[in-house]
Amino acid sequence: MELYDVMRTTFAAREFTDDPVPDSVLHRILDNARFAASGGNRQGWRVVVVREASTRALLASLIEPTFKRYFTQMMAGEAPYNTITASKVTEEQVAAASPPIHYIDGVVNAPVVLLVFVDLSVVASFDSGLDRIGVISGASIYTFVQNILLAARNEGYGGTLTTFAGAGENELQQHLGMPGHMAFAAMLPMGRPVKQLTRLKRKPVEEIAVLERWDGPALGA
């Protein structure tokens, strides 16, 4: 596929056929994705390919409480888990919520699940001293993650970037034998999508890019 076609048609796939994703295809996907840029070209990414039932079960147990709170906040009209606006959702509301658990089943039981970790000992976290949640470290891992999804689309497969398991990082590290400096970055359920979307909705450039200042004119206006 042409590069721009891949970029415009790589959607968040969460429903897959039963077709397996062979190791040879995964190798080709990762062999191309590894050319993503990273700080200092340190390439602090590691991927764990998951097919075993025990790890899938652990992922489901880690995702469920996070997803339940996410769903409750979303139904209350909030932007879930954001660090700027405090949630007004109560613990009682979370406990009483009935989110669509089939979502969890769909992602943990995909033909293959990729767990992506980043080595915090090699990334430059320039915002670590700021009084807000850190985001800069992601610059050295999410380029790689997006490349995986683009490469998967090019191969006729699909997936989605999920992070619900992040709150259970300690349990996940212990289960997989990961050292503590390897931070969970993404879980990518992957397979052959039941349906391939080719028309995606995104905001126009004029809504996301301005010239020179926050209140500057829109690019292309």
Side-chain angles (χ1 to χ4, degrees):
M1 295 180 67
E2 293 293 330
L3 174 61
Y4 284 169
D5 290 336
V6 173
M7 293 171 67
R8 285 174 172 262
T9 61
T10 299
F11 66 101
R14 299 182 181 90
E15 296 182 0
F16 308 99
T17 68
D18 293 331
D19 295 347
V21 183
D23 282 353
S24 59
V25 173
L26 286 177
H27 188 280
R28 187 160 59 247
I29 288 172
L30 295 175
D31 191 33
N32 287 283
R34 67 192 173 95
F35 285 92
S38 62
N41 195 28
R42 296 184 184 92
Q43 305 169 52
W45 43 65
R46 294 294 182 275
V47 180
V48 178
V49 179
V50 173
R51 293 191 179 95
E52 290 184 355
S54 62
T55 305
R56 293 177 188 269
L58 174 65
L59 289 169
S61 69
L62 296 179
I63 291 171
E64 184 173 0
T66 306
F67 182 62
K68 194 170 185 178
R69 183 175 297 277
Y70 182 96
F71 175 81
T72 306
Q73 288 187 253
M74 187 174 63
M75 295 304 293
E78 297 180 353
Y81 281 91
N82 85 85
T83 60
I84 303 302
T85 306
S87 175
K88 296 180 180 179
V89 166
T90 66
E91 294 301 321
E92 289 75 17
Q93 287 176 300
V94 175
S98 299
I101 300 300
H102 69 270
Y103 167 86
I104 299 176
D105 293 336
V107 295
V108 301
N109 293 316
V112 69
V113 176
L114 304 185
L115 299 178
V116 183
F117 292 81
V118 59
D119 187 347
L120 295 181
S121 71
V122 302
V123 299
S125 304
F126 293 115
D127 57 353
S128 59
L130 299 182
D131 187 21
R132 62 158 173 77
I133 196 75
V135 297
I136 298 299
S137 301
S140 287
I141 188 63
Y142 291 115
T143 51
F144 174 62
V145 172
Q146 181 65 4
N147 267 7
I148 294 175
L149 294 172
L150 293 173
R153 174 72 180 101
N154 191 60
E155 294 285 341
Y157 293 88
T160 187
L161 195 171
T162 71
T163 53
F164 284 108
E169 180 180 87
N170 291 340
E171 294 93 327
L172 197 55
Q173 288 171 332
Q174 183 176 5
H175 179 84
L176 299 173
M178 304 288 293
H181 59 88
M182 297 300 299
F184 170 81
M187 168 182 158
L188 307 178
M190 189 174 293
R192 196 173 294 281
V194 171
K195 181 186 295 185
Q196 285 281 17
L197 301 183
T198 57
R199 293 176 64 87
L200 307 182
K201 294 181 179 179
R202 297 293 186 269
K203 295 178 181 179
V205 172
E206 290 76 8
E207 289 189 26
I208 63 172
V210 294
L211 297 173
E212 307 298 345
R213 293 173 50 84
W214 177 262
D215 58 354
L219 174 65

